[in-house]
Every structure is written in structure tokens, then in C-alpha cells.
Amino acid sequence: MSQTSAPAPVVKCGVTIEFSAIVLSGSLHHDDQRRALTLMTDEGPERVSVNLEAYGLVPAPGRVFIKDWSEHSGLAESLRQAGLVRIVRSVTVGPFASTAHEVEVTL
């Protein structure tokens, strides 16, 4: 019996993203099976996406959620301007009505 292995994450090297007062560079990894987007930097992984399943929100295939609060303010827009994602919709979550964006990853 053969097993089908999960597809390998899609990787884009040489990515620089800016948000808040932060500039990070590395390789951007999109793991569609886990609905995760991670920037691998010299200092280690920086989780770009956020899991919103606690709010009943699951991104569609090829998409992830990116929070737009705290240290991640402006991150989705920065990724959009770099041509790495397309913002599909915005949702409000949590007790402080914070915004998160569902984005289609376009690596």
C-alpha cells in the first residue's frame, strides 16, 4: 500500500517584509496543509499567519489569516504591496474587535 505524502511547503527566498517599526528578511514558507505562513530568518522562524479556529474561522485552501493588531499591524498590506498575497476579506475577532485579513498566498 502506498502512502501519499503531504505536499512540501512553497518557499520564496530573499523576502523582506516591513510592518510597524520592524523589517525582517528571510525565506517565506507557505504550508497550505497547515494553513501557515512563516518567515524563516537568521534568528529563527517568525510566524506570519494566525490560527483563528477558536472563532470558527478556517481559511480556504491556498489562504491564511494574518492579524492586523499589535506588532503585526500593517503586515498584510506590506505582503500585498510586495506581491506575496492578495487580501480576500477582513474579519473582526476577539473581545477588542481586532481585525484579521484572510489572504490568498501568491508566492
Side-chain angles (χ1 to χ4, degrees):
M1 189 181 340
S2 67
Q3 286 186 321
T4 304
S5 61
V10 176
V11 178
K12 176 147 179 116
C13 297
V15 171
T16 298
I17 55 176
E18 298 180 40
F19 53 99
S20 298
I22 301 168
V23 178
L24 295 173
S25 296
S27 58
L28 195 59
H29 295 239
H30 177 226
D31 185 339
D32 192 40
Q33 183 175 5
R34 292 184 174 86
R35 303 293 191 267
L37 193 61
T38 306
L39 184 68
M40 300 301 290
T41 69
D42 289 340
E43 291 80 33
E46 174 72 25
R47 180 74 183 239
V48 175
S49 59
V50 63
N51 183 322
L52 298 177
E53 289 180 16
Y55 300 104
L57 298 168
V58 177
R63 299 178 182 177
V64 298
F65 282 109
I66 298 176
K67 67 180 186 176
D68 196 18
W69 66 85
S70 190
E71 72 279 0
H72 284 94
S73 292
L75 177 55
E77 181 59 23
S78 176
L79 292 168
R80 186 197 65 77
Q81 289 177 0
L84 300 169
V85 303
R86 182 178 68 84
I87 298 174
V88 177
R89 69 177 173 138
S90 299
V91 296
T92 303
V93 296
F96 301 108
S98 300
T99 301
H101 305 284
E102 184 174 5
V103 301
E104 178 183 6
V105 180
T106 59
L107 300 180

